[in-house]
Amino acid sequence: MPVTRRGLLRATGIAGAALLVGGRVGAGPRARGPWLDWLADNRERVAAVVDPGAGPALVHRPHAPQPLAAAITPLHLAAHELSGATGPVPAADWDRHHLGLDDGAHASALADLGITSTDGATADDPHHPVDLDDLASALVRRGDSAAADLLLHRLGEPALRAAAVRLGWPDAPVAGALDHRVRLVLGRDAPGHLTDPRVRLEVLGRLPQTPSTYEGLRPWARTTWHGSADGLGRAHRALATDPALPRCRAWLGAGREAPEGVLGVGLAGGALPGVLAVGGHARFADGRTGVVAVLLAEVPRERHAAAREFEDLVLGALLDGALLADLRAALA
């Protein structure tokens, strides 16, 4: 069955679709709208792969390294599911990977699980048990980098590298978000942050002087882990089709209603100052598997504030041929 316009809007939650794409799908020439205008004016800052599984696809700078932000987290999800690891961990183990500078993601993740946190950064009860699957869910819902780092720490780097190979993305970056944040605070790498109390005290002492504004954090965000749209797209194809990863599909698709003609969608995105990144997949009832990955660099603050509309556009381009044509025209 075809993907209908009504079903698409229901699935993506596009509230202002007419504004975003400038009119009715299937109509004649349309006004581009602010996101498509920005993409057209900044093609050298965009890397994109959109493949609906049939018909024309979009490929734009697919191998260019771009910042990934939390769009990398499906790698952690796959490593966790493939490991078969179960059981709870103390909330304190989760909290120790949190340094702040995450726009409240960790605090929101704690609240989602009903864990009280007076200071908004750590659990009041450090022994509160947290299931690893709940951490995986928090990683998708909130982009909580502390959850990603805890999974990396427990599973080990070899497990994530093995998962990257299985996902068809062997050169995926495997690095802890905490390491990047410590480098921001200290101006140098300090991998002993978790184990050396002297380094931790130095970090806490210098944290108040750390840049915290959007513009102040952009130079640092440029140095965080990079990857390609091609690699992220290949990973999402494996996530959509690998029979060993059903829970990954459930985590990535949670809360997303699939429109008519689509069996399921999954999406994971990330944002840092100046950076927006989204990867996703769709499994169509006619047997097709579609993937999308769009990575943006040097995004100004006013466009960054419209990140939700960007996410809607990216998923819409995968599900709606007219939106894909708009995106292709913007990047042509």
Side-chain angles (χ1 to χ4, degrees), residues 10 65 97 128 139 242 252 256 262 275 309:
R10 187 172 63 246
H97 293 275
H128 190 289
L139 189 51
D242 193 322
L252 294 170
R256 297 186 182 278
V262 180
V275 175
E309 287 81 1

Side-chain angles (χ1 to χ4, degrees), residues 6 51 73 167 190 236:
R6 180 177 298 174
D51 180 3
T73 54
L167 294 179
H236 271 278

Side-chain angles (χ1 to χ4, degrees), residues 70-82 139 155 159-167 169 172-175 232 235 239 248:
I72 187 64
T73 54
L75 177 60
H76 299 74
L77 301 180
H80 169 53
E81 183 165 11
L82 292 169
L139 189 51
L155 299 173
L160 267 76
R161 294 203 179 280
V165 170
R166 181 167 186 134
L167 294 179
W169 194 10
V174 176
L232 184 58
L239 288 163
C248 283

Side-chain angles (χ1 to χ4, degrees), residues 29-313:
R30 288 164 287 174
R32 277 207 170 115
W35 262 121
L36 291 172
D37 282 341
W38 187 89
L39 294 171
D41 292 338
N42 295 273
R43 298 182 182 95
E44 75 285 356
R45 297 171 176 175
V46 181
V49 171
V50 187
D51 180 3
L58 166 64
V59 178
H60 177 75
R61 302 178 68 240
H63 304 295
Q66 298 262 118
L68 290 166
I72 187 64
T73 54
L75 177 60
H76 299 74
L77 301 180
H80 169 53
E81 183 165 11
L82 292 169
S83 75
T86 59
V89 297
D93 283 4
W94 183 13
D95 289 336
R96 66 197 291 258
H97 293 275
H98 172 62
L99 187 59
L101 308 171
D102 66 349
D103 202 25
H106 184 62
S108 297
L110 289 170
D112 286 347
L113 298 180
I115 301 174
T116 58
S117 174
T118 301
D119 63 5
T122 58
D124 291 344
D125 176 8
H127 304 291
H128 190 289
V130 181
D131 191 84
L132 290 176
D133 282 0
D134 286 335
L135 286 176
S137 181
L139 189 51
V140 176
R141 288 198 318 272
R142 298 298 183 179
D144 178 31
S145 61
D149 276 10
L150 177 56
L151 290 174
L152 171 60
H153 182 74
R154 285 182 64 86
L155 299 173
E157 185 176 314
L160 267 76
R161 294 203 179 280
V165 170
R166 181 167 186 134
L167 294 179
W169 194 10
D171 59 345
V174 176
L178 182 61
D179 291 340
H180 286 293
R181 284 171 166 78
V182 168
R183 188 176 70 247
L184 168 66
V185 175
L186 299 183
R188 69 176 194 275
D189 291 328
H193 174 257
L194 285 175
T195 56
D196 189 335
R198 293 171 300 178
V199 176
R200 190 166 185 84
L201 284 173
E202 183 183 5
V203 169
L204 293 175
R206 294 178 63 175
L207 192 59
Q209 288 78 49
T210 303
S212 58
T213 65
Y214 187 87
E215 292 303 325
L217 288 168
R218 283 179 69 171
W220 164 76
R222 295 185 189 109
T223 71
T224 57
W225 53 90
H226 284 53
S228 68
D230 177 71
L232 184 58
R234 282 186 277 113
H236 271 278
R237 184 171 300 283
L239 288 163
T241 58
D242 193 322
L245 299 174
R247 288 190 296 160
C248 283
R249 287 187 284 277
W251 288 321
L252 294 170
R256 297 186 182 278
E257 181 184 355
E260 186 180 6
V262 180
L263 301 178
V265 296
L267 207 68
L272 290 171
V275 175
L276 288 175
V278 176
H281 60 263
R283 293 175 290 113
F284 294 93
D286 60 11
R288 288 180 292 126
T289 298
V291 298
V292 61
V294 183
L295 313 177
L296 308 183
E298 304 304 329
V299 180
R301 186 169 189 167
E302 63 272 14
R303 282 291 86 220
H304 202 274
R308 177 57 187 271
E309 287 81 1
F310 169 67
E311 180 182 289
D312 291 339
L313 175 62

